[in-house]
Amino acid sequence: MRVSNVTVRKRLAVALLAGLLIFFVIDIRLGIVQFYFGNKLTGLAKNSWSRDIPFEPKRGEIQDRNGVPLATNKSAPTVYVIPRQIENPAEAAEKMAGILEMPKEDLYKELTKKEMNVRLSKGRKISNEKAQQIRALELKGVYIAEDSLRHYPFGAYLSHVLGFTGIDNQGLMGIELQYDKELKGKKGFVQFYSDAKGKRMKNMADEYKPPQNGLDLNLTIDSRIQTIIERELDIAEATYNPDGIIAIAMNPNDGEILAMSSRPSFDPANFRNVPPEIYNRNLPVWSSYEPGSTFKIITLAAALEEKKVDLKNEHFYDSGHVEVAGSTLHCWKRGGHGSQTFLEVVENSCNPGFVELGNRLGKEKLFSYIRNFGFGQKTGIDLQGEGTGIMFNMARVGPVEQATTAFGQGPSVTPIQQVAAVAAAVNGGTLYTPYIAKELIDPETGKVVMKKSPNPKRKVISEETSKQVREALESVVARGSGGGAFVESYRVGGKTGTAQKAQNGRYLENNHIVSFIGFAPADKPEIVVYIAVDNPKGTVQFGGVVSAPIVGKIMEDSLRTLNVKPRENQIEKKKKLYTDPVMVKVPDLVGMTKKDLQTQLDKLKLDVAGTGDIVIKQAPGPGVKVKEGSTIRIFLGEKQE
């Protein structure tokens, strides 16, 4: 059957239109792919071709308030390989094994891994010298990436505060952990392109994205004061062989931590060499224990604020103990202090006297002030691991608990709580949040991106009460139990503390934490220093004997470092510690007979030489003061006419 030309033309027209339509659809599709999805698809393709060699950022440096570096970085490159680009793995392993101090068999296994890129196990954070040797080999597929190691210039100095970093420069403890996000920065990379076989694509240029370095961190720490404290703690550790030591120095007027340390210590670069309980516990903020008599400052401040006592005009008789609800609470001095003013109660750290102050305040008032001074809660210092201490449950506080709390036995507190509270007691009455990070700085621009300001929490006592507290505590150092902290020409105030340690619900024998908290100048404090020595050996375990002299030495050097001028109106030191030796003036023995000597020297010993009956020489000479029981050498001869 014959088809007409018309039908043929129609069929051709339909086929043409269909072809045009199909071509049009394909063209539109290609256009969409080219112009709309083009960049996306190219990017996906480039991602499949790209290989990244990471470049680690420099971790932000940590400095003290004066710009002294405390944590820095040392260049330590890392070796990466692209296994598919290595032409002769056996030869490459042979050449690199000696440099990396790695068995060539193990290195060969890493060079032939079926992975896009491999970081060599022994090529991580190597020296620049080794990196240069590997570069000189000019091996295809071997790359050197910039990396660094954290460096602590002063070793164990400030170790618990600074903390340390891990192998990836991540903060693991201390300030390094607390401010890890700000310090760590962002990674960069060198990006090149290769085909499915790992061969570099010559027509595509490498791309480089520089790493973004971390922010630098300036601390409130004053390395000059920190050095003084570290020195004194080293001496105390060698002298007393204690179980531990804690030290804090703070500016009482804003909460800035000027120094912080503890023993035992560790080197942050080698933290794995000590047990975790040493590096994981920053004792000044973590540990809690009964404060002992340093806590009496809070009772004193509360009693003065509530006008419950007149320190100079009211008297208290101390028999050596006090009966409270059937319990006998003793003073540290057997036999008591007798009749004394309440100022002398403070100077002598008399427990029964503070029980009386606690009774005058009453349970609710006493514990209200304790809470307002920040006990039983975190101070908010910007260091991880801070403890809260332990306070009595108010429902269980009876007369005995109230009485013991008034002189510092029963509650458990942290060192940083004590420092913050005493700072409030002497700075005019304002409780501040302690802090140790001062500011964050962009290392590229030098711009300050974060700056901390003092954070006053609340007013706990009045300026007038604070002044009375300062005067009383200055008298403790000049005339009372804190005499060991006395510094000639400077006005120092403070309080001793001697706390029994408890274990399994019972107090240990001859095992105390002895402490002293001091401040200066007493009329206008610029620094508060707290020292606690845990179980000092070979000495009388009293805060006034062990810790007060340490604080005195720290104060003397720190005040000069801070350019604090000596004060002329210093209270004269009049009272010796009860543990101080009794001094006896040597009498004039020349001319005395043997019989006279027997009645004159009841507090001194004699070393006699010569055969006569009359004393013709003596040593030491008359008028010299010696310790009671000292030996006086005399020479006997005949009376000269």
Side-chain angles (χ1 to χ4, degrees):
M1 181 173 144
R2 218 174 146 190
V3 179
S4 67
N5 290 335
V6 175
T7 301
V8 171
R9 285 196 295 273
K10 286 182 178 179
R11 288 177 179 177
L12 288 173
V14 170
L16 179 62
L17 288 172
L20 288 172
L21 180 62
I22 292 170
F23 179 79
F24 182 71
V25 170
I26 292 173
D27 196 43
I28 290 175
R29 179 61 179 169
L30 287 174
I32 291 172
V33 170
Q34 179 68 29
F35 298 107
Y36 187 76
F37 292 109
N39 291 336
K40 181 179 179 181
L41 294 174
T42 300
L44 291 172
K46 290 177 73 176
N47 285 339
S48 69
W49 304 329
S50 68
R51 307 290 182 265
D52 291 351
I53 301 299
F55 272 58
E56 298 292 334
K58 286 185 178 179
R59 190 171 176 85
E61 295 193 351
I62 302 176
Q63 303 174 333
D64 86 331
R65 65 190 304 118
N66 302 310
V68 176
L70 302 173
T72 60
N73 305 294
K74 293 172 67 175
S75 178
T78 292
V79 183
Y80 284 84
V81 298
I82 308 297
R84 291 184 179 181
Q85 292 182 3
I86 298 176
E87 295 176 347
N88 190 332
E91 181 183 352
E94 182 79 32
K95 290 181 177 180
M96 289 195 295
I99 299 172
L100 297 177
E101 300 176 3
M102 184 178 182
K104 60 183 178 181
E105 295 81 9
D106 295 344
L107 182 53
Y108 179 82
K109 290 179 182 178
E110 294 191 24
L111 296 180
T112 55
K113 283 184 177 180
K114 297 186 181 302
E115 297 179 13
M116 289 296 184
N117 61 51
V118 175
R119 181 174 58 192
L120 297 183
S121 59
K122 294 292 185 179
R124 196 170 190 188
K125 297 182 185 290
I126 61 176
S127 67
N128 284 298
E129 290 76 17
K130 288 185 177 182
Q132 188 59 39
Q133 290 174 25
I134 291 175
R135 284 194 188 96
L137 297 175
E138 296 184 345
L139 297 170
K140 288 185 178 180
V142 178
Y143 301 87
I144 306 295
E146 185 59 42
D147 205 343
S148 63
L149 275 171
R150 202 59 161 165
H151 176 56
Y152 301 94
F154 299 103
Y157 180 100
L158 201 65
S159 57
H160 286 95
V161 171
L162 294 175
F164 49 82
T165 60
I167 189 67
D168 292 317
N169 283 348
Q170 77 277 28
L172 296 180
M173 203 208 81
I175 284 289
E176 295 278 28
L177 174 60
Q178 189 76 14
Y179 289 90
D180 183 58
K181 181 179 178 182
E182 293 81 3
L183 291 167
K184 67 182 180 181
K186 295 181 180 179
K187 290 184 180 182
F189 56 84
V190 169
Q191 190 176 70
F192 65 89
Y193 300 93
S194 63
D195 58 24
K197 293 183 179 180
K199 303 298 182 182
R200 296 192 68 153
M201 302 175 72
K202 297 181 180 180
N203 61 332
M204 299 191 72
D206 293 350
E207 294 182 13
Y208 174 63
K209 180 181 179 182
Q212 183 178 330
N213 294 332
L215 299 173
D216 290 338
L217 176 61
N218 287 351
L219 303 182
T220 61
I221 295 291
D222 189 323
S223 60
R224 300 169 300 173
I225 298 174
Q226 183 72 33
T227 299
I228 293 167
I229 283 182
E230 297 284 358
R231 178 197 72 201
E232 292 303 321
L233 263 58
D234 287 343
I235 294 171
E237 195 169 29
T239 303
Y240 299 114
N241 187 30
D243 295 344
I245 316 177
I246 292 168
I248 303 174
M250 189 177 88
N251 184 336
N253 303 305
D254 54 21
E256 289 188 351
I257 300 297
L258 302 175
M260 182 181 285
S261 188
S262 61
R263 297 290 188 277
S265 190
F266 67 96
D267 182 353
N270 299 294
F271 67 92
R272 292 180 181 86
N273 295 340
V274 299
E277 57 266 24
I278 291 180
Y279 65 69
N280 268 339
R281 298 172 179 174
N282 186 10
L283 297 179
V285 301
W286 175 84
S287 61
S288 64
Y289 45 84
E290 291 185 2
S293 294
T294 54
F295 201 72
K296 292 173 180 174
I297 297 173
I298 308 307
T299 305
L300 171 65
L304 289 171
E305 181 72 9
E306 294 297 318
K307 296 181 171 46
K308 298 294 185 180
V309 65
D310 183 333
L311 293 180
K312 295 180 180 179
N313 297 315
E314 280 192 80
H315 285 72
F316 176 81
Y317 183 83
D318 172 29
S319 64
H321 67 276
V322 61
E323 298 292 330
V324 179
S327 296
T328 302
L329 305 179
H330 294 276
C331 186
W332 60 265
K333 184 178 181 181
R334 186 172 296 178
H337 294 92
S339 179
Q340 53 189 335
T341 66
F342 270 96
L343 179 58
E344 290 172 324
V345 166
V346 179
E347 292 172 355
N348 296 327
S349 195
C350 174
N351 288 350
F354 278 89
V355 171
E356 172 63 20
L357 294 182
N359 287 336
R360 293 184 183 187
L361 284 164
K363 180 175 79 171
E364 297 298 332
K365 277 291 181 186
L366 175 61
F367 279 84
S368 173
Y369 275 94
I370 290 171
R371 288 190 296 272
N372 283 340
F373 270 103
F375 294 102
Q377 56 200 282
K378 293 182 179 181
T379 65
I381 190 172
D382 49 345
L383 286 170
Q384 94 280 4
E386 183 182 5
T388 59
I390 304 172
M391 291 289 111
F392 283 124
N393 184 328
M394 285 296 288
R396 298 181 179 179
V397 174
V400 174
E401 290 76 17
Q402 174 187 306
T404 58
T405 298
F407 60 78
Q409 185 174 305
S412 175
V413 305
T414 66
I416 192 64
Q417 285 175 340
Q418 294 189 74
V419 172
V422 172
V426 302
N427 69 10
T430 301
L431 181 69
Y432 284 94
T433 300
Y435 65 101
I436 203 161
K438 194 173 181 68
E439 56 190 13
L440 286 163
I441 300 173
D442 187 326
E444 301 295 329
T445 64
K447 181 181 178 182
V448 176
V449 297
M450 185 280 289
K451 187 177 181 67
K452 279 199 173 182
S453 300
N455 178 27
K457 290 182 176 179
R458 54 186 168 270
K459 192 83 168 174
V460 287
I461 56 175
S462 68
E463 177 65 58
E464 178 57 32
T465 297
S466 180
K467 181 181 177 182
Q468 292 182 69
V469 171
R470 293 195 299 269
E471 290 174 349
L473 296 180
E474 183 180 9
S475 190
V476 168
V477 171
R479 298 168 177 166
S481 58
F486 187 86
V487 179
E488 194 65 49
S489 300
Y490 285 100
R491 298 180 63 179
V492 178
K495 187 74 190 71
T496 57
T498 303
Q500 287 180 281
K501 291 166 61 178
Q503 189 176 72
N504 300 323
R506 302 186 67 178
Y507 287 114
L508 301 175
E509 291 291 333
N510 301 316
N511 193 335
H512 302 80
I513 295 177
V514 295
S515 61
F516 188 87
I517 189 162
F519 59 94
D523 55 334
K524 192 176 181 181
E526 294 186 32
I527 185 172
V528 172
V529 176
Y530 176 78
I531 295 289
V533 183
D534 184 355
N535 191 26
K537 317 296 192 304
T539 184
V540 179
Q541 291 190 350
F542 283 109
V545 176
V546 176
S547 300
I550 300 173
V551 172
K553 293 170 186 174
I554 293 171
M555 281 292 190
E556 183 172 9
D557 290 350
S558 296
L559 290 168
R560 291 195 173 100
T561 296
L562 295 172
N563 295 318
V564 177
K565 294 181 179 180
R567 306 299 171 92
E568 295 179 357
N569 53 339
Q570 182 186 32
I571 299 178
E572 183 182 353
K573 186 177 182 181
K574 293 182 178 179
K575 188 170 183 177
K576 299 289 184 181
L577 295 175
Y578 87 101
T579 52
D580 288 345
V582 176
M583 308 301 286
V584 178
K585 185 182 290 186
V586 178
D588 187 355
L589 304 178
V590 175
M592 288 188 178
T593 65
K594 289 182 180 180
K595 186 176 181 180
D596 293 334
L597 292 175
Q598 294 176 2
T599 61
Q600 290 292 319
L601 298 177
D602 59 325
K603 296 182 180 179
L604 296 169
K605 298 176 183 178
L606 289 178
D607 180 11
V608 181
T611 57
D613 191 53
I614 302 295
V615 179
I616 59 175
K617 289 183 181 179
Q618 73 175 77
V624 176
K625 287 187 176 181
V626 297
K627 294 180 182 178
E628 185 177 88
S630 297
T631 299
I632 308 300
R633 293 177 177 83
I634 62 172
F635 187 81
L636 297 176
E638 297 300 328
K639 185 176 181 180
Q640 307 245 342
E641 295 296 337

